[in-house]
Amino acid sequence: MRRFSSLIRWSLIGAALSVCVALVGCLPEDSSGGGSSTTTDDNGIPVLDGLWVGTTDETQASSSSATAEELAAHLFFMDTQVYLLREDQALSGTYVQDGLGGVILELNVFEYAEPDTDNLFFVGTDSNSTLTINALLATDVNLVGSYANNQRDGEVNVTLDEDRDRDVQLKDLIGTWTTTDSETYFNSEGRFLGYDTSNSCRWEGRVIPQTSQILSLTIQRENCDEFNDDATGIAITDGEGTLHFMSERDREFLWMRFTPPTATTTDTSTDTTTDTTDTTTDTTETAGAPAPNAN
């Protein structure tokens, strides 16, 4: 029976991969962010590509009396790849759809050794464990799922991030992106240089457009506790303008998040107030002046 189930799963995966090839990579530029619903492919199957944000509620399976822990979750679909990012671990793998709203996610688990929750920098190491999530596209913009194994069980509830910028350009990145203890500078060519002001960790690299909403990432980290040397990945922005770096190499997964540059505005309120005051003063002086002598 287990072998028969495995054959069915691999058949579904093969069918999904064939569809992706026919669709030239399954990366339509308008498939995520903005709009009122997901798009569909030529077979009427929803295209999930994009960022979905919500929560996972998880209980350790070894403790029947444990209270479920709610964790913020970022679920990102791209091609046949999927990432489930949380502040306790990262999960990376593939997914397949059954054509009826069902989605099966097969994920490898990357455990964080020293998560930097202050700066939202996370490096996970492959734990050689996997997790299968059975999910359902409940609506065009809501994906729910559940999972259970001998270590843990839980539920996933995420919503499509429709506020994401549908056209991220390099000029949108120019400026200083920050975290609690770091600064990252972007120029107009997509080159960046960043460092942690509290230690010697630094990074540099470049992003270039891959689609209208996804940037290809090359990054080199040095003097950091984990994930040093060269790597490639992707960069995206979310609906709040936060920039995400994601990279996987040598059984490690990197996730970094940056706050956007502060917009600069020109304040003209002082000049307006001054002009109004001057006008009021002139009017008062005129009203209080003696009338000219008619004689």
Side-chain angles (χ1 to χ4, degrees):
M1 184 64 181
R2 178 177 300 175
R3 183 179 179 183
F4 181 68
S5 300
S6 178
L7 289 173
I8 292 177
R9 177 170 295 172
W10 281 110
S11 297
L12 287 172
I13 293 174
L17 289 173
S18 298
V19 171
C20 284
V21 171
L23 290 175
V24 193
C26 281
L27 273 175
E29 294 187 354
D30 61 348
S31 63
S32 63
S36 59
S37 65
T38 58
T39 58
T40 58
D41 63 20
D42 291 341
N43 296 315
I45 299 176
V47 177
L48 302 180
D49 285 5
L51 180 64
W52 303 66
V53 180
T55 61
T56 60
D57 291 289
E58 185 171 297
T59 303
Q60 297 298 316
S62 59
S63 176
S64 59
S65 61
T67 302
E69 180 181 10
E70 183 177 275
L71 297 165
H74 291 72
L75 190 64
F76 185 72
F77 292 93
M78 183 185 70
D79 286 337
T80 58
Q81 192 74 17
V82 60
Y83 305 119
L84 175 56
L85 306 176
R86 311 190 317 193
E87 292 190 8
D88 65 330
Q89 61 184 204
L91 300 97
S92 171
T94 59
Y95 72 99
V96 62
Q97 296 177 260
D98 64 9
L100 299 174
V103 187
I104 298 177
L105 291 75
E106 297 286 359
L107 305 170
N108 297 316
V109 180
F110 293 78
E111 297 288 355
Y112 302 146
E114 298 180 358
D116 185 350
T117 54
D118 289 334
N119 295 290
L120 301 180
F121 293 164
F122 306 99
V123 176
T125 302
D126 191 347
S127 64
N128 291 319
S129 62
T130 60
L131 186 67
T132 299
I133 298 178
N134 291 291
L136 176 70
L137 192 61
T139 71
D140 286 347
V141 296
N142 182 220
L143 185 71
V144 297
S146 63
Y147 53 91
N149 58 25
N150 58 2
Q151 296 177 325
R152 57 184 180 166
D153 59 77
E155 294 80 39
V156 179
N157 193 324
V158 291
T159 302
L160 180 64
D161 187 354
E162 297 185 281
D163 293 329
R164 285 184 67 211
D165 192 340
R166 295 178 62 84
D167 187 17
V168 179
Q169 302 180 42
L170 295 183
K171 65 180 180 64
D172 300 325
L173 302 179
I174 298 174
T176 307
W177 296 72
T178 60
T179 68
T180 300
D181 299 310
S182 79
E183 298 176 348
T184 300
Y185 300 85
F186 274 87
N187 69 9
S188 60
E189 301 299 323
R191 288 288 303 273
F192 62 85
L193 174 66
Y195 51 84
D196 191 322
T197 58
S198 66
N199 56 46
S200 60
C201 181
R202 63 181 301 275
W203 50 90
E204 62 179 313
R206 187 182 183 186
V207 294
I208 59 175
Q210 178 172 320
T211 72
S212 63
Q213 300 176 58
I214 301 174
L215 302 166
S216 294
L217 168 72
T218 57
I219 184 171
Q220 181 182 46
R221 289 181 21 126
E222 297 177 335
N223 301 321
C224 303
D225 292 335
E226 303 170 282
F227 207 96
N228 291 292
D229 212 344
D230 299 332
T232 60
I234 60 173
I236 63 170
T237 55
D238 62 27
E240 296 181 348
T242 300
L243 177 66
H244 299 246
F245 282 178
M246 291 175 275
S247 178
E248 183 179 346
R249 66 133 178 91
D250 297 338
R251 300 184 65 243
E252 286 187 315
F253 193 95
L254 172 70
W255 180 29
M256 304 175 74
R257 293 157 65 181
F258 305 92
T259 300
T262 303
T264 57
T265 58
T266 302
D267 186 1
T268 60
S269 59
T270 301
D271 295 338
T272 303
T273 303
T274 301
D275 294 343
T276 302
T277 302
D278 291 342
T279 302
T280 303
T281 302
D282 293 344
T283 302
T284 303
E285 291 176 351
T286 301
N293 192 338
N295 297 326

